[in-house]
mmCIF file of all heavy atoms in Angstrom:
data_model
loop_
_atom_site.group_PDB
_atom_site.id
_atom_site.type_symbol
_atom_site.label_atom_id
_atom_site.label_comp_id
_atom_site.label_asym_id
_atom_site.label_seq_id
_atom_site.Cartn_x
_atom_site.Cartn_y
_atom_site.Cartn_z
ATOM 1 N N ILE A 1 -69.720 144.512 -75.536
ATOM 2 C CA ILE A 1 -68.556 143.674 -75.836
ATOM 3 C C ILE A 1 -68.908 142.195 -75.687
ATOM 4 O O ILE A 1 -68.511 141.356 -76.502
ATOM 5 C CB ILE A 1 -67.373 144.055 -74.939
ATOM 6 C CG1 ILE A 1 -66.849 145.440 -75.347
ATOM 7 C CG2 ILE A 1 -66.259 143.016 -75.032
ATOM 8 C CD1 ILE A 1 -65.711 145.947 -74.501
ATOM 9 N N GLY A 2 -69.676 141.866 -74.635
ATOM 10 C CA GLY A 2 -70.100 140.482 -74.446
ATOM 11 C C GLY A 2 -70.896 139.969 -75.631
ATOM 12 O O GLY A 2 -70.706 138.836 -76.091
ATOM 13 N N SER A 3 -71.793 140.798 -76.155
ATOM 14 C CA SER A 3 -72.599 140.397 -77.313
ATOM 15 C C SER A 3 -71.736 140.272 -78.561
ATOM 16 O O SER A 3 -71.925 139.350 -79.368
ATOM 17 C CB SER A 3 -73.719 141.410 -77.541
ATOM 18 O OG SER A 3 -74.677 141.357 -76.497
ATOM 19 N N LEU A 4 -70.796 141.185 -78.757
ATOM 20 C CA LEU A 4 -69.906 141.112 -79.919
ATOM 21 C C LEU A 4 -69.087 139.819 -79.909
ATOM 22 O O LEU A 4 -68.948 139.146 -80.941
ATOM 23 C CB LEU A 4 -68.968 142.326 -79.936
ATOM 24 C CG LEU A 4 -69.593 143.671 -80.324
ATOM 25 C CD1 LEU A 4 -68.618 144.809 -80.054
ATOM 26 C CD2 LEU A 4 -70.003 143.667 -81.809
ATOM 27 N N ILE A 5 -68.558 139.463 -78.732
ATOM 28 C CA ILE A 5 -67.771 138.228 -78.625
ATOM 29 C C ILE A 5 -68.661 137.019 -78.855
ATOM 30 O O ILE A 5 -68.284 136.062 -79.547
ATOM 31 C CB ILE A 5 -67.082 138.160 -77.254
ATOM 32 C CG1 ILE A 5 -65.988 139.229 -77.161
ATOM 33 C CG2 ILE A 5 -66.476 136.775 -77.017
ATOM 34 C CD1 ILE A 5 -65.345 139.340 -75.806
ATOM 35 N N SER A 6 -69.863 137.054 -78.286
ATOM 36 C CA SER A 6 -70.782 135.928 -78.439
ATOM 37 C C SER A 6 -71.171 135.709 -79.894
ATOM 38 O O SER A 6 -71.223 134.570 -80.373
ATOM 39 C CB SER A 6 -72.037 136.167 -77.588
ATOM 40 O OG SER A 6 -72.917 135.071 -77.666
ATOM 41 N N VAL A 7 -71.426 136.781 -80.609
ATOM 42 C CA VAL A 7 -71.892 136.670 -81.993
ATOM 43 C C VAL A 7 -70.749 136.350 -82.955
ATOM 44 O O VAL A 7 -70.898 135.510 -83.858
ATOM 45 C CB VAL A 7 -72.606 137.970 -82.423
ATOM 46 C CG1 VAL A 7 -72.882 137.974 -83.924
ATOM 47 C CG2 VAL A 7 -73.912 138.130 -81.649
ATOM 48 N N PHE A 8 -69.594 136.970 -82.783
ATOM 49 C CA PHE A 8 -68.537 136.878 -83.787
ATOM 50 C C PHE A 8 -67.366 135.964 -83.413
ATOM 51 O O PHE A 8 -66.632 135.524 -84.301
ATOM 52 C CB PHE A 8 -67.999 138.276 -84.101
ATOM 53 C CG PHE A 8 -69.023 139.196 -84.693
ATOM 54 C CD1 PHE A 8 -69.537 140.250 -83.972
ATOM 55 C CD2 PHE A 8 -69.492 138.990 -85.984
ATOM 56 C CE1 PHE A 8 -70.496 141.103 -84.508
ATOM 57 C CE2 PHE A 8 -70.442 139.829 -86.543
ATOM 58 C CZ PHE A 8 -70.948 140.888 -85.802
ATOM 59 N N PHE A 9 -67.157 135.692 -82.113
ATOM 60 C CA PHE A 9 -65.958 134.949 -81.718
ATOM 61 C C PHE A 9 -66.240 133.685 -80.908
ATOM 62 O O PHE A 9 -65.320 132.909 -80.658
ATOM 63 C CB PHE A 9 -65.018 135.859 -80.906
ATOM 64 C CG PHE A 9 -64.544 137.067 -81.670
ATOM 65 C CD1 PHE A 9 -65.114 138.301 -81.444
ATOM 66 C CD2 PHE A 9 -63.542 136.958 -82.616
ATOM 67 C CE1 PHE A 9 -64.684 139.427 -82.150
ATOM 68 C CE2 PHE A 9 -63.111 138.057 -83.324
ATOM 69 C CZ PHE A 9 -63.682 139.300 -83.098
ATOM 70 N N LYS A 10 -67.467 133.478 -80.468
ATOM 71 C CA LYS A 10 -67.780 132.332 -79.607
ATOM 72 C C LYS A 10 -67.399 131.014 -80.266
ATOM 73 O O LYS A 10 -66.736 130.169 -79.649
ATOM 74 C CB LYS A 10 -69.271 132.339 -79.268
ATOM 75 C CG LYS A 10 -69.742 131.168 -78.420
ATOM 76 C CD LYS A 10 -71.214 131.308 -78.085
ATOM 77 C CE LYS A 10 -72.071 131.304 -79.343
ATOM 78 N NZ LYS A 10 -73.503 131.483 -79.032
ATOM 79 N N ASP A 11 -67.787 130.831 -81.523
ATOM 80 C CA ASP A 11 -67.488 129.575 -82.214
ATOM 81 C C ASP A 11 -65.985 129.377 -82.379
ATOM 82 O O ASP A 11 -65.485 128.247 -82.280
ATOM 83 C CB ASP A 11 -68.180 129.549 -83.584
ATOM 84 C CG ASP A 11 -69.688 129.416 -83.465
ATOM 85 O OD1 ASP A 11 -70.165 128.996 -82.382
ATOM 86 O OD2 ASP A 11 -70.392 129.742 -84.438
ATOM 87 N N LYS A 12 -65.258 130.447 -82.624
ATOM 88 C CA LYS A 12 -63.802 130.341 -82.784
ATOM 89 C C LYS A 12 -63.153 129.883 -81.476
ATOM 90 O O LYS A 12 -62.233 129.063 -81.473
ATOM 91 C CB LYS A 12 -63.221 131.685 -83.224
ATOM 92 C CG LYS A 12 -63.597 132.106 -84.646
ATOM 93 C CD LYS A 12 -62.957 133.429 -85.009
ATOM 94 C CE LYS A 12 -63.207 133.795 -86.476
ATOM 95 N NZ LYS A 12 -64.641 133.999 -86.762
ATOM 96 N N ILE A 13 -63.632 130.431 -80.359
ATOM 97 C CA ILE A 13 -63.094 130.057 -79.045
ATOM 98 C C ILE A 13 -63.362 128.585 -78.769
ATOM 99 O O ILE A 13 -62.470 127.833 -78.344
ATOM 100 C CB ILE A 13 -63.714 130.938 -77.947
ATOM 101 C CG1 ILE A 13 -63.249 132.391 -78.113
ATOM 102 C CG2 ILE A 13 -63.343 130.418 -76.561
ATOM 103 C CD1 ILE A 13 -64.008 133.381 -77.254
ATOM 104 N N HIS A 14 -64.589 128.142 -79.027
ATOM 105 C CA HIS A 14 -64.954 126.756 -78.728
ATOM 106 C C HIS A 14 -64.287 125.784 -79.709
ATOM 107 O O HIS A 14 -63.912 124.669 -79.319
ATOM 108 C CB HIS A 14 -66.474 126.606 -78.762
ATOM 109 C CG HIS A 14 -67.146 127.398 -77.689
ATOM 110 N ND1 HIS A 14 -68.463 127.771 -77.732
ATOM 111 C CD2 HIS A 14 -66.663 127.918 -76.523
ATOM 112 C CE1 HIS A 14 -68.776 128.472 -76.659
ATOM 113 N NE2 HIS A 14 -67.689 128.578 -75.913
ATOM 114 N N ASN A 15 -64.108 126.190 -80.950
ATOM 115 C CA ASN A 15 -63.412 125.330 -81.909
ATOM 116 C C ASN A 15 -61.938 125.171 -81.544
ATOM 117 O O ASN A 15 -61.336 124.115 -81.796
ATOM 118 C CB ASN A 15 -63.550 125.887 -83.324
ATOM 119 C CG ASN A 15 -64.956 125.705 -83.884
ATOM 120 O OD1 ASN A 15 -65.696 124.820 -83.450
ATOM 121 N ND2 ASN A 15 -65.334 126.548 -84.830
ATOM 122 N N ALA A 16 -61.355 126.218 -80.952
ATOM 123 C CA ALA A 16 -59.966 126.113 -80.484
ATOM 124 C C ALA A 16 -59.862 125.060 -79.389
ATOM 125 O O ALA A 16 -58.886 124.307 -79.324
ATOM 126 C CB ALA A 16 -59.483 127.471 -79.966
ATOM 127 N N MET A 17 -60.877 124.983 -78.534
ATOM 128 C CA MET A 17 -60.903 123.960 -77.490
ATOM 129 C C MET A 17 -61.052 122.569 -78.107
ATOM 130 O O MET A 17 -60.380 121.619 -77.697
ATOM 131 C CB MET A 17 -62.064 124.252 -76.537
ATOM 132 C CG MET A 17 -62.130 123.352 -75.320
ATOM 133 S SD MET A 17 -60.870 123.751 -74.099
ATOM 134 C CE MET A 17 -61.215 122.460 -72.875
ATOM 135 N N ARG A 18 -61.899 122.446 -79.123
ATOM 136 C CA ARG A 18 -62.122 121.142 -79.765
ATOM 137 C C ARG A 18 -60.865 120.633 -80.468
ATOM 138 O O ARG A 18 -60.676 119.426 -80.625
ATOM 139 C CB ARG A 18 -63.265 121.244 -80.770
ATOM 140 C CG ARG A 18 -64.648 121.394 -80.144
ATOM 141 C CD ARG A 18 -65.750 121.240 -81.185
ATOM 142 N NE ARG A 18 -67.054 121.320 -80.571
ATOM 143 C CZ ARG A 18 -67.795 122.428 -80.467
ATOM 144 N NH1 ARG A 18 -67.304 123.573 -80.961
ATOM 145 N NH2 ARG A 18 -68.965 122.416 -79.888
ATOM 146 N N ARG A 19 -60.021 121.553 -80.922
ATOM 147 C CA ARG A 19 -58.816 121.141 -81.653
ATOM 148 C C ARG A 19 -57.708 120.624 -80.740
ATOM 149 O O ARG A 19 -56.696 120.102 -81.218
ATOM 150 C CB ARG A 19 -58.282 122.311 -82.486
ATOM 151 C CG ARG A 19 -59.123 122.610 -83.736
ATOM 152 C CD ARG A 19 -58.375 123.529 -84.693
ATOM 153 N NE ARG A 19 -58.146 124.840 -84.112
ATOM 154 C CZ ARG A 19 -58.987 125.868 -84.236
ATOM 155 N NH1 ARG A 19 -60.122 125.724 -84.915
ATOM 156 N NH2 ARG A 19 -58.714 127.036 -83.695
ATOM 157 N N MET A 20 -57.886 120.766 -79.434
ATOM 158 C CA MET A 20 -56.873 120.264 -78.500
ATOM 159 C C MET A 20 -56.850 118.739 -78.557
ATOM 160 O O MET A 20 -57.875 118.081 -78.417
ATOM 161 C CB MET A 20 -57.170 120.763 -77.090
ATOM 162 C CG MET A 20 -57.034 122.268 -76.945
ATOM 163 S SD MET A 20 -57.595 122.893 -75.342
ATOM 164 C CE MET A 20 -56.401 122.123 -74.241
ATOM 165 N N LYS A 21 -55.681 118.161 -78.759
ATOM 166 C CA LYS A 21 -55.553 116.722 -78.950
ATOM 167 C C LYS A 21 -55.295 116.021 -77.616
ATOM 168 O O LYS A 21 -54.609 116.541 -76.737
ATOM 169 C CB LYS A 21 -54.402 116.405 -79.917
ATOM 170 C CG LYS A 21 -54.573 117.057 -81.291
ATOM 171 C CD LYS A 21 -55.853 116.572 -81.979
ATOM 172 C CE LYS A 21 -55.982 117.195 -83.353
ATOM 173 N NZ LYS A 21 -57.229 116.775 -84.031
ATOM 174 N N GLY A 22 -55.827 114.818 -77.505
ATOM 175 C CA GLY A 22 -55.711 114.066 -76.254
ATOM 176 C C GLY A 22 -54.293 113.626 -75.933
ATOM 177 O O GLY A 22 -54.000 113.266 -74.802
ATOM 178 N N ASP A 23 -53.397 113.608 -76.918
ATOM 179 C CA ASP A 23 -52.026 113.165 -76.658
ATOM 180 C C ASP A 23 -51.070 114.330 -76.428
ATOM 181 O O ASP A 23 -49.859 114.152 -76.372
ATOM 182 C CB ASP A 23 -51.525 112.304 -77.818
ATOM 183 C CG ASP A 23 -51.601 113.048 -79.162
ATOM 184 O OD1 ASP A 23 -52.167 114.147 -79.183
ATOM 185 O OD2 ASP A 23 -51.086 112.500 -80.163
ATOM 186 N N GLY A 24 -51.601 115.539 -76.299
ATOM 187 C CA GLY A 24 -50.753 116.703 -76.053
ATOM 188 C C GLY A 24 -50.337 116.805 -74.603
ATOM 189 O O GLY A 24 -50.733 116.008 -73.748
ATOM 190 N N SER A 25 -49.545 117.811 -74.294
ATOM 191 C CA SER A 25 -49.107 118.036 -72.916
ATOM 192 C C SER A 25 -50.291 118.401 -72.035
ATOM 193 O O SER A 25 -51.032 119.344 -72.330
ATOM 194 C CB SER A 25 -48.079 119.172 -72.880
ATOM 195 O OG SER A 25 -47.836 119.578 -71.548
ATOM 196 N N SER A 26 -50.467 117.656 -70.946
ATOM 197 C CA SER A 26 -51.611 117.882 -70.078
ATOM 198 C C SER A 26 -51.542 119.243 -69.402
ATOM 199 O O SER A 26 -52.548 119.946 -69.300
ATOM 200 C CB SER A 26 -51.689 116.782 -69.013
ATOM 201 O OG SER A 26 -52.790 116.988 -68.161
ATOM 202 N N ILE A 27 -50.359 119.632 -68.922
ATOM 203 C CA ILE A 27 -50.207 120.889 -68.192
ATOM 204 C C ILE A 27 -50.454 122.079 -69.118
ATOM 205 O O ILE A 27 -51.186 123.011 -68.774
ATOM 206 C CB ILE A 27 -48.809 121.001 -67.556
ATOM 207 C CG1 ILE A 27 -48.519 119.786 -66.680
ATOM 208 C CG2 ILE A 27 -48.711 122.293 -66.753
ATOM 209 C CD1 ILE A 27 -49.506 119.591 -65.544
ATOM 210 N N ILE A 28 -49.863 122.046 -70.299
ATOM 211 C CA ILE A 28 -50.083 123.125 -71.263
ATOM 212 C C ILE A 28 -51.554 123.179 -71.656
ATOM 213 O O ILE A 28 -52.149 124.261 -71.781
ATOM 214 C CB ILE A 28 -49.192 122.935 -72.510
ATOM 215 C CG1 ILE A 28 -47.722 123.090 -72.127
ATOM 216 C CG2 ILE A 28 -49.568 123.927 -73.606
ATOM 217 C CD1 ILE A 28 -46.759 122.824 -73.259
ATOM 218 N N GLY A 29 -52.160 122.015 -71.826
ATOM 219 C CA GLY A 29 -53.578 121.963 -72.153
ATOM 220 C C GLY A 29 -54.442 122.590 -71.072
ATOM 221 O O GLY A 29 -55.430 123.276 -71.368
ATOM 222 N N ILE A 30 -54.083 122.372 -69.819
ATOM 223 C CA ILE A 30 -54.821 122.963 -68.694
ATOM 224 C C ILE A 30 -54.742 124.487 -68.754
ATOM 225 O O ILE A 30 -55.749 125.181 -68.563
ATOM 226 C CB ILE A 30 -54.264 122.433 -67.360
ATOM 227 C CG1 ILE A 30 -54.703 120.974 -67.151
ATOM 228 C CG2 ILE A 30 -54.714 123.304 -66.185
ATOM 229 C CD1 ILE A 30 -54.044 120.294 -65.962
ATOM 230 N N ILE A 31 -53.562 125.009 -69.019
ATOM 231 C CA ILE A 31 -53.384 126.469 -69.092
ATOM 232 C C ILE A 31 -54.194 127.049 -70.255
ATOM 233 O O ILE A 31 -54.896 128.053 -70.096
ATOM 234 C CB ILE A 31 -51.890 126.817 -69.247
ATOM 235 C CG1 ILE A 31 -51.115 126.373 -68.002
ATOM 236 C CG2 ILE A 31 -51.707 128.310 -69.500
ATOM 237 C CD1 ILE A 31 -49.606 126.481 -68.142
ATOM 238 N N ILE A 32 -54.106 126.410 -71.419
ATOM 239 C CA ILE A 32 -54.851 126.893 -72.585
ATOM 240 C C ILE A 32 -56.352 126.829 -72.327
ATOM 241 O O ILE A 32 -57.099 127.756 -72.666
ATOM 242 C CB ILE A 32 -54.484 126.071 -73.838
ATOM 243 C CG1 ILE A 32 -53.020 126.310 -74.217
ATOM 244 C CG2 ILE A 32 -55.402 126.422 -75.005
ATOM 245 C CD1 ILE A 32 -52.527 125.422 -75.335
ATOM 246 N N ALA A 33 -56.800 125.733 -71.716
ATOM 247 C CA ALA A 33 -58.230 125.570 -71.430
ATOM 248 C C ALA A 33 -58.725 126.652 -70.485
ATOM 249 O O ALA A 33 -59.844 127.164 -70.636
ATOM 250 C CB ALA A 33 -58.492 124.189 -70.843
ATOM 251 N N SER A 34 -57.912 127.030 -69.507
ATOM 252 C CA SER A 34 -58.310 128.085 -68.574
ATOM 253 C C SER A 34 -58.410 129.430 -69.288
ATOM 254 O O SER A 34 -59.329 130.214 -69.023
ATOM 255 C CB SER A 34 -57.317 128.175 -67.413
ATOM 256 O OG SER A 34 -57.780 129.056 -66.416
ATOM 257 N N ILE A 35 -57.488 129.692 -70.194
ATOM 258 C CA ILE A 35 -57.540 130.933 -70.985
ATOM 259 C C ILE A 35 -58.809 130.963 -71.829
ATOM 260 O O ILE A 35 -59.528 131.971 -71.874
ATOM 261 C CB ILE A 35 -56.296 131.056 -71.891
ATOM 262 C CG1 ILE A 35 -55.030 131.238 -71.043
ATOM 263 C CG2 ILE A 35 -56.449 132.222 -72.868
ATOM 264 C CD1 ILE A 35 -53.739 131.183 -71.843
ATOM 265 N N LEU A 36 -59.107 129.856 -72.497
ATOM 266 C CA LEU A 36 -60.301 129.788 -73.342
ATOM 267 C C LEU A 36 -61.571 129.899 -72.509
ATOM 268 O O LEU A 36 -62.575 130.454 -72.957
ATOM 269 C CB LEU A 36 -60.305 128.477 -74.140
ATOM 270 C CG LEU A 36 -59.200 128.343 -75.196
ATOM 271 C CD1 LEU A 36 -59.217 126.957 -75.821
ATOM 272 C CD2 LEU A 36 -59.351 129.415 -76.270
ATOM 273 N N GLY A 37 -61.543 129.374 -71.289
ATOM 274 C CA GLY A 37 -62.699 129.487 -70.405
ATOM 275 C C GLY A 37 -62.991 130.928 -70.032
ATOM 276 O O GLY A 37 -64.156 131.356 -70.013
#
């Protein structure tokens, strides 16, 4: 499962983090960032 996520979903997870905007809600951003982590 780790390899499947790394090969097929890793970029999607990291791109979701990159799309987080600096002017968004800080608290919501913290929660989303922890989920993505």
Side-chain angles (χ1 to χ4, degrees):
I1 290 178
S3 292
L4 287 170
I5 291 174
S6 183
V7 170
F8 298 109
F9 299 102
K10 178 177 62 182
D11 290 342
K12 291 181 174 64
I13 293 169
H14 295 159
N15 288 336
M17 186 74 182
R18 289 190 177 94
R19 286 194 295 269
M20 294 172 65
K21 302 299 182 182
D23 57 353
S25 169
S26 180
I27 306 301
I28 294 176
I30 286 172
I31 296 171
I32 294 173
S34 188
I35 294 172
L36 293 174

